Amino acid sequence: MLRRPRRNRKSEAVRNLVEENSVSVNDLIFPLFLIDGVNKKVEVGSMPGIYRFSQDLMLKEIEECMKLGIMAFDVFPAYPESLKTATASESWNPETFYLKALREIKKQFPEVCLMSDVAMDPYSSDGHDGLVKNGKILNDETLEILGRMSLAQAEAGVDILGPSDMMDGRVGHIRRLLDESGFTDTSIMSYTAKYASAFYGPFRDALDSAPKFGDKKTYQMNPANAREALIEADLDAEEGADFLMVKPALSYLDIIKLLGDHSPLPIAAYNVSGEYSMVKAAAANGWLNSERAMLEILLSIKRSGAKIILSYFAKEFALLKK
Ligand code: PBG
């Protein structure tokens, strides 16, 4: 036999030489859930090992993660029902606990890359990412709200804004407002191809942010569509996005590859809550090895062309590599 591919697999040293892809802590963004209060750390029932932290304990968690080499964090707030309104007005209140925590994180750890979420759902009494009128999600009216929210987050010192709402034209609108207000260095990581997915279930548990009626199919993408992601990618690039994101990751590796082949912008992928919970649930039953599954999942996302991975596995991965 002239060709024996197994020769390149014969030892770990040889396998390492021919290894095409690898994951590093430098590639990871760790999503964190914030709650109001002091000295609170509450596990998310559907996400074993993932907690909702009050600001004080989140600062400790970030410090711990930094020691493991994680330098990028995406903070999501969980608001009580009493603070939710139809217009998500709490989102731009400078004294709201989310903005206070973002300011404090940047003050204590100026070297971290801090990312925030731009969408109405955590603050909306309707649980939707956009403004609701007569059961419809309004696009252009939502942009105004997203703009105010973005400016408030930029003022708090956020490095990367993450518009996750899927309204048309939001990247351009936010970019313009940021530039007009002097925030020319604030980046935008657009949720470019965000699909209407079942895999967000545990996240909506964590934030208590499930839509109060209907679903998100008039703004999030149809899982059946791939080419449509190119329309979103072109618009985001034209509108000034610094990064393109695909979400979820695992059922959409083809979309990650498609965008990576299509655009020179760095591609990020969000390894979402349901993808984390599936592994943890199976591992709890002894059905698979959580650590090996994690490594394989992160590697597959990287191999598909994502440079950046947002993942709830970030800390576990960093601990393992330490
Ligand atoms: C909301 C938002 C969602 C996620 C990130 N931002 C949920 C949704 O669109 O309903 C999901 C993240 C995850 O599942 O880990 N704008």
Side-chain angles (χ1 to χ4, degrees), residues 31 33 47 74 76 117-122 127-129 162-166 191 194-204 207 209-211 216 219-220 245 247-248 270-276 310 312:
F33 298 126
M47 302 178 75
D74 190 356
F76 294 90
D117 193 59
V118 178
M120 287 179 62
D121 53 324
H128 274 285
D129 295 24
S164 67
D165 54 285
M166 290 302 279
Y191 286 62
K194 177 173 180 178
Y195 286 87
S197 170
F199 293 102
Y200 308 147
F203 175 96
R204 293 178 188 172
L207 298 195
S209 66
K216 299 192 174 186
Y219 43 108
Q220 298 181 349
M245 190 210 290
K247 178 185 175 183
Y270 201 137
N271 176 209
V272 299
S273 57
E275 297 172 335
Y276 174 86
L310 295 99
Y312 302 97

Side-chain angles (χ1 to χ4, degrees), residues 83-197:
L83 288 175
K84 298 185 183 187
T85 61
T87 56
S89 45
E90 189 64 13
S91 65
W92 64 82
N93 168 9
E95 291 315 311
T96 197
F97 71 89
Y98 182 47
L99 295 174
K100 276 198 206 159
L102 295 175
R103 279 199 292 272
E104 198 53 35
I105 294 167
K106 272 316 273 189
K107 191 167 143 206
Q108 294 208 17
F109 309 114
E111 66 275 42
V112 305
C113 171
L114 184 60
M115 180 166 168
S116 61
D117 193 59
V118 178
M120 287 179 62
D121 53 324
Y123 323 91
S124 155
S125 43
D126 295 300
H128 274 285
D129 295 24
L131 191 66
V132 177
K133 200 166 178 191
N134 302 329
K136 286 215 154 108
I137 315 298
L138 304 183
N139 194 88
D140 300 12
E141 293 79 353
T142 298
L143 296 187
E144 273 177 51
I145 295 171
L146 298 175
R148 296 179 85 155
M149 196 183 299
S150 298
L151 279 182
Q153 294 176 0
E155 259 155 31
V158 161
D159 297 285
I160 304 179
L161 298 175
S164 67
D165 54 285
M166 290 302 279
M167 295 301 122
D168 291 335
R170 90 271 208 214
V171 171
H173 181 75
I174 294 169
R175 184 70 269 161
R176 234 178 345 268
L177 278 179
L178 289 173
D179 289 353
E180 282 167 12
S181 308
F183 295 111
T184 50
D185 285 342
T186 307
S187 313
I188 299 177
M189 181 183 287
S190 179
Y191 286 62
T192 298
K194 177 173 180 178
Y195 286 87
S197 170

